[in-house]
Structures are given as structure tokens and as C-alpha cells.
Amino acid sequence: MEDPKKIEQNYRQIIELLPENVELVAVSKTHPVEVIRTVYDLGQKVFGENKVQELAEKYPLLPKDISWHLIGHLQRNKVKYIIEFIDTIQSVDSEKLLLEIDRQAKNCNRQVKVLLQVKIAEEESKFGLELHEAKEIFTDWLNGKYPNIEITGLMGMATFTENENQIKKEFNFLKQLYDQLSLKKNLKTLSMGMSGDYQLAIACGANSVRIGSAIFGNRDYIL
Ligand SMILES: *Cc1c(COP(=O)(O)O)cnc(C)c1O
């Protein structure tokens, strides 16, 4: 586990560098609740997790004014475990998933915020909607198809590469879609950029970044 002093230093450095209009989602996956509490006590209120079970275990142990974002692939049969408390589901990567979130949200009388995760990376491994799927879903939503959903923006993950031009191209692609959709209905959140590429993402128009290891240190995946 990373030294709390080091985490504090990391966190303060990042906060200082972030432009005011850019939201920080502190990605706390694999890190224990004590460590999350350290960063919470420094003023951070938005945290991201990528696994439902891990999030559902941590949620009751931490302050209730945390806004939890799910950022990892979500299976439809697991939506019910987070629906009551999740602030934003950033990883909507299929229409079926969105329908299930809408259904579960209705059951608990909620409006749930989501981001459409668009596939921008060349890598086969990354989840996400194709461009045309994202556009179709957005239009359907505008036409009232998902009444218990609020689509607040888009999320994307760039290819894992050293090639900055490649990453830039992918971020720019998503920014273009974001601007295009915003003409029909104003979007709030363009979530792109992680520890390794968030400055580039911000330069390309991101107004929300998901930062894990640059705050919490490397993950050892033992938890
Ligand atoms: C883990 C994760 C991050 C954070 O990654 P770091 O490189 O540790 O900052 C961001 N987004 C998603 C979707 C992730 O799964």
C-alpha cells in the first residue's frame, strides 16, 4: 500500500494542474477504503470503480456524499447491485445494457446519469459503441425511449500506445462526436484521459479525467 503522505502529494499536484472546468474522477479500484478515505478527506468527492462487486462492498463503508462512477464493463445482470446509489455509469457500451439500466432505475424511482462509451481505440480489446450505435441511441433517448436515463456525455479510452499522434487522433474523434451531439442537446461531460494521457486528453477537449495510478500508486491486483 502506498504511503498516505505520498498519495496526498500526488493528489495535490494533480489538482493544482487541472484546469478549473475539468472534473477529476479518482479511480480507486483495487485500493482499500482507508486509502479512499485519505483522498476523500483532502476534498475529493468523485470516485471511480470498475467492478460491481468491489464497488458494492466499498460503498457502505464510505461517506454517503461520495459520487460513485462505474467506469468498467457492466454486465446486465449486475446492474441491480449498484442502481440505488450509483451517480454515473460511464461505461454504457450496448443498447441492451442501457435498457436494463433504464428498467432498474424506474424500479427504484430514479433518474440515472450515464455516459455512452464509444470505441475510439484501434485495439480489439476495448469495449464501446460504434459511432453509428452511439448516434442512434442518443436520438432514441431524445425521442423519449429511455425515460429514466439522463445521457450526460461520452466516454472513451484511447489505444495503449506511446504514439501521441494516434492517441490525439482518437481523442479528437470523440470530441467531434461530442460537439455534434451537443448541437441537438447540450452535453456536460466528455470523459477521456487516464494517468498516462490526461494532459493530452484535456488539450483535446476532455472536461472529465479518470485518474488512478498517478494518485494512488501502482495497482498490485491482490486485494
Ligand atoms: C483503471 C482505469 C482508469 C485509470 O487508470 P490509471 O492509468 O491508473 O489512471 C481509467 N479509466 C478506466 C476505464 C479504467 O479502467
Side-chain angles (χ1 to χ4, degrees):
M1 192 166 105
E2 195 83 30
D3 168 24
K5 282 259 151 17
K6 177 71 180 133
I7 291 174
E8 174 168 354
Q9 194 186 348
N10 292 342
Y11 178 72
R12 289 195 191 285
Q13 249 167 25
I14 286 167
I15 286 293
E16 214 154 280
L17 287 175
L18 281 190
E20 227 170 77
N21 66 316
V22 177
E23 170 192 57
L24 169 63
V25 178
V27 177
S28 50
K29 63 190 187 195
T30 77
H31 300 289
V33 290
E34 300 76 51
V35 173
I36 299 175
R37 176 62 97 148
T38 302
V39 175
Y40 173 86
D41 287 340
L42 297 170
Q44 180 65 25
K45 293 290 171 332
V46 186
F47 289 87
E49 290 278 340
N50 70 334
K51 293 210 163 69
V52 165
Q53 191 185 338
E54 188 177 336
L55 174 54
E57 282 170 14
K58 286 171 173 176
Y59 168 73
L61 305 174
L62 285 156
K64 291 297 169 287
D65 63 340
I66 288 180
S67 295
W68 288 105
H69 286 213
L70 190 81
I71 60 170
H73 177 63
L74 174 58
Q75 289 171 292
R76 275 179 287 154
N77 61 358
K78 294 191 175 162
V79 172
K80 55 179 178 284
Y81 301 116
I82 55 167
I83 196 71
E84 284 184 25
F85 67 85
I86 198 76
D87 179 82
T88 302
I89 298 174
Q90 292 209 5
S91 43
V92 170
D93 56 8
S94 76
E95 204 215 335
K96 284 180 171 171
L97 173 61
L98 192 60
L99 280 167
E100 176 62 9
I101 297 168
D102 186 50
R103 194 175 74 84
Q104 296 280 353
K106 182 163 188 249
N107 278 345
C108 53
N109 237 327
R110 285 198 64 192
Q111 186 85 0
V112 171
K113 290 184 272 186
V114 309
L115 305 183
L116 301 180
Q117 180 176 355
V118 179
K119 188 172 178 328
I120 56 172
E122 278 184 345
E123 292 163 288
E124 269 313 308
S125 59
K126 299 254 157 95
F127 289 103
L129 299 160
E130 299 295 335
L131 180 66
H132 71 94
E133 292 177 302
K135 286 182 181 172
E136 277 161 27
I137 288 175
F138 190 72
T139 303
D140 287 346
W141 173 66
L142 288 179
N143 291 330
K145 184 164 180 188
Y146 313 101
N148 288 73
I149 298 283
E150 186 188 353
I151 298 179
T152 55
L154 303 177
M155 187 269 251
M157 281 172 95
T159 303
F160 188 71
T161 171
E162 300 277 293
N163 183 348
E164 281 214 352
N165 282 329
Q166 174 73 27
I167 299 174
K168 217 161 137 183
K169 201 174 79 186
E170 295 172 0
F171 285 157
N172 283 332
F173 174 83
L174 195 61
K175 171 70 160 87
Q176 236 177 33
L177 178 62
Y178 180 79
D179 289 342
Q180 202 182 338
L181 298 183
S182 290
L183 293 175
K184 298 184 190 166
K185 164 108 185 159
N186 223 13
L187 293 173
K188 286 188 266 212
T189 306
L190 179 57
S191 170
M192 37 184 213
M194 315 180 10
S195 292
D197 57 15
Y198 71 91
Q199 273 137 338
L200 186 55
I202 292 167
C204 295
N207 56 25
S208 182
V209 292
R210 310 175 308 271
I211 300 182
S213 46
I215 299 171
F216 296 101
N218 289 326
R219 292 176 288 270
D220 50 19
Y221 287 104
I222 293 172
L223 198 76

